């Protein structure tokens, strides 16, 4: 069942695909940016001369400590911005009523899932329902009962 939900990129809008790609790119760039000093330090400890010169050129161990303090400040600022954004969104949702779409009729629901209206109404009467899908996430059969 998870394959049907996760591996259906054709169901995503272009906006969702673009947003996902930009978020992934930004995340990877942040990881590389924050890990670069560790890679440099590791290479310096392993004796790579060019990186050793770079460490000494930028001030050595003292500068590394200053950069680590700067990183801690950046992380603190990001956390505070995230907290303010979360509180703002909570306040906004509490003061603005949610947009409610018009109710869906049985005919619209049956048409969307390519199921008979009679089968849909029969499925609503049961306590336990089993829905069978094919490889393309299309409903093939609905069983009422155990």
């Amino acid at each position: 069942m998870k394959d049907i939900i996760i591996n259906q990129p054709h169901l995503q809008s272009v906006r969702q695909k673009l947003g996902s790609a930009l978020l992934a790119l930004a995340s990877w760039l942040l990881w590389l940016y924050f890990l670069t000093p560790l890679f440099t330090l590791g290479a310096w400890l392993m004796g790579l001369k060019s990186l050793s010169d770079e460490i000494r050129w930028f001030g050595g161990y003292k500068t590394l400590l200053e950069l680590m303090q700067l990183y801690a400040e950046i992380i603190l600022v990001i956390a505070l911005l995230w907290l303010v954004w979360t509180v703002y969104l909570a306040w906004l949702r509490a003061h603005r009523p949610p947009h409610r779409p018009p109710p869906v009729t049985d005919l619209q629901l049956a048409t969307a899932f390519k199921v008979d209206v009679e089968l849909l109404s029969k499925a609503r009467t049961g306590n336990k329902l089993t829905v069978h899908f094919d490889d393309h996430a299309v409903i093939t059969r609905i069983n009422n009962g155990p």
Side-chain angles (χ1 to χ4, degrees), residues 70-105:
L70 178 66
Y71 284 171
E73 291 170 2
I74 290 171
I75 289 171
L76 181 65
V77 168
I78 290 171
L80 287 174
L81 287 174
W82 175 78
L83 181 65
V84 168
W85 181 251
T86 303
V87 170
Y88 169 72
L89 285 181
W91 175 82
L92 187 66
R93 288 192 179 124
H95 288 42
R96 193 175 73 187
H99 171 71
R100 302 217 184 266
V104 179
T105 65

Side-chain angles (χ1 to χ4, degrees), residues 5-134:
I5 295 171
I6 295 172
N7 292 325
Q8 295 295 327
H10 66 278
L11 297 177
Q12 289 182 336
S13 67
V14 174
R15 184 177 173 192
Q16 288 172 330
K17 290 178 184 177
L18 183 62
S20 176
L22 287 176
L23 190 61
L25 179 67
S27 298
W28 280 110
L29 288 176
L30 276 174
W31 268 111
L32 289 175
Y33 175 74
F34 283 122
L35 291 178
T36 299
L38 294 177
F39 293 146
T40 304
L41 179 64
W44 180 51
L45 292 173
M46 287 191 284
L48 292 176
K49 179 123 177 76
S50 64
L51 293 173
S52 175
D53 292 340
E54 184 179 330
I55 292 281
R56 280 187 251 129
W57 177 265
F58 287 113
Y61 180 70
K62 186 176 180 182
T63 305
L64 180 64
L65 289 178
E66 291 173 3
L67 280 176
M68 289 176 72
Q69 180 182 357
L70 178 66
Y71 284 171
E73 291 170 2
I74 290 171
I75 289 171
L76 181 65
V77 168
I78 290 171
L80 287 174
L81 287 174
W82 175 78
L83 181 65
V84 168
W85 181 251
T86 303
V87 170
Y88 169 72
L89 285 181
W91 175 82
L92 187 66
R93 288 192 179 124
H95 288 42
R96 193 175 73 187
H99 171 71
R100 302 217 184 266
V104 179
T105 65
D106 287 347
L107 182 61
Q108 290 172 329
L109 192 61
T111 305
F113 288 102
K114 299 177 181 125
V115 178
D116 289 338
V117 179
E118 298 167 4
L119 186 60
L120 180 64
S121 61
K122 183 180 173 188
R124 285 192 175 156
T125 61
N127 291 335
K128 190 172 183 182
L129 190 68
T130 306
V131 181
H132 300 273
F133 299 92
D134 66 2

